[in-house]
Amino acid sequence: MKVSTEEMRSLLKTYFIMGSQNCDEDPREVLKDAIHGGITLFQFREKGDQALVGEEKIRLAKELLEICKHYQVPFIVNDDIDLALKINADGVHIGQDDEPAEQVRKKIGDKILGISAHNQEEVEAAINQGADYIGTGPVFPTETKKDTEAVQGTILVQELRKQGISIPIVGIGGITPENAASVVKGGADGVSVITAISKAKSPKEQARLLKAAVDSVMQ
Ligand SMILES: Cc1ncsc1CCOP(=O)(O)O
Ligand SMILES: C=C1C=NC(C)=NC1=N
Ligand SMILES: [Mg+2]
């Protein structure tokens, strides 16, 4: 059933996003380690030139979903709505260039719907289309996604909060344990990261540090 706004807010605290293309080690081990470090939400984002496709992608998605189910960490699928429905994921994340949000909402029912937004108009549209949360960024420079919008810090989130827009928002882009607190101080409910965890010597330790940084602001 539908997550409440406050439940969604807390799920965004330490949001790990990963595909096999982001890992040097076995993605299943990286995910398990990150979960032990305390991630609150996981997104399967198998995308880009090294990404798996077809049956291999579906198989990996199912394996990572099983791991998340075991530890009761909700599982979000990026872009691929059909895959999300096929494996009964907990939700989807779409960008401005994906399937229109109204259509996606019809397909997924009460599953979590996350939408990327980079300016006020896109945020307001996403809210009107029934997004459960917004992903904004890139907050800091990142190598992970080649075609990002301009680096924006937390300017947009600060502006939205000043206007009393309270939808759950997660920051993304170049976030590390060192800068994570500033993202939450800027008004985000949490941080979403790829490389800081997926390429870490200890994904567990990085997840733990990220979560501690976010919680250090929450009090
Ligand atoms: C998917 C995405 N959207 C904006 S930046 C980004 C990549 C974030 O990756 P990293 O956490 O490694 O900077
Ligand atoms: C582009 C993205 C922005 N935000 C989030 C949470 N996930 C994404 N894939
Ligand atoms: Mg997309």
Side-chain angles (χ1 to χ4, degrees):
M1 85 315 167
K2 199 155 177 64
V3 289
S4 69
T5 299
E6 288 320 305
E7 166 68 9
M8 189 69 247
R9 214 179 288 286
S10 68
L11 288 177
L12 293 179
K13 280 190 176 204
T14 311
Y15 186 175
F16 179 36
I17 302 177
M18 178 260 279
S20 62
Q21 77 278 6
N22 304 119
C23 297
D24 298 327
E25 309 301 330
D26 179 342
R28 292 160 298 193
E29 295 311 312
V30 172
L31 176 55
K32 268 184 232 164
D33 222 30
I35 290 174
H36 289 132
I39 61 168
T40 49
L41 188 60
F42 176 69
Q43 179 185 131
F44 179 60
R45 181 175 177 275
E46 193 68 16
K47 186 171 187 176
D49 42 6
Q50 308 296 325
L52 301 175
V53 291
E55 276 314 307
E56 283 192 319
K57 175 179 174 183
I58 296 169
R59 188 178 317 114
L60 178 60
K62 284 179 178 171
E63 289 171 353
L64 298 180
L65 174 61
E66 283 320 300
I67 293 168
C68 283
K69 273 193 187 331
H70 180 72
Y71 294 96
Q72 294 170 351
V73 173
F75 187 97
I76 305 293
V77 175
N78 183 56
D79 287 357
D80 192 339
I81 312 305
D82 293 337
L83 174 60
L85 295 172
K86 184 186 183 74
I87 65 176
N88 192 23
D90 297 293
V92 298
H93 187 93
I94 55 174
Q96 295 296 317
D97 57 352
D98 290 305
E99 201 174 333
E102 294 94 344
Q103 266 173 244
V104 173
R105 177 53 85 192
K106 279 202 191 75
K107 287 182 179 177
I108 68 170
D110 280 347
K111 291 179 184 300
I112 293 170
L113 173 59
I115 302 180
S116 303
H118 306 93
N119 57 51
Q120 180 109 14
E121 296 71 33
E122 289 177 358
V123 169
E124 286 172 355
I127 292 170
N128 294 337
Q129 290 161 342
D132 294 300
Y133 75 83
I134 304 281
T136 64
V139 178
F140 306 107
T142 176
E143 303 292 312
T144 307
K145 178 177 159 93
K146 302 293 170 245
D147 58 336
T148 57
E149 307 279 331
V151 173
Q152 59 176 213
T154 56
I155 299 295
L156 176 62
V157 195
Q158 290 175 52
E159 184 50 35
L160 294 167
R161 295 317 193 196
K162 239 181 253 154
Q163 294 174 28
I165 295 177
S166 61
I167 189 170
I169 298 176
V170 68
I172 188 166
I175 298 178
T176 67
E178 291 69 35
N179 63 32
S182 70
V183 181
V184 177
K185 280 197 189 100
D189 295 292
V191 297
S192 54
V193 308
I194 301 182
T195 310
I197 295 178
S198 77
K199 293 268 173 72
K201 218 174 14 300
S202 166
K204 177 178 172 184
E205 181 58 11
Q206 289 300 306
R208 197 188 62 72
L209 290 169
L210 282 159
K211 189 169 188 181
V214 169
D215 288 344
S216 74
V217 179
M218 290 298 179
Q219 275 102 21

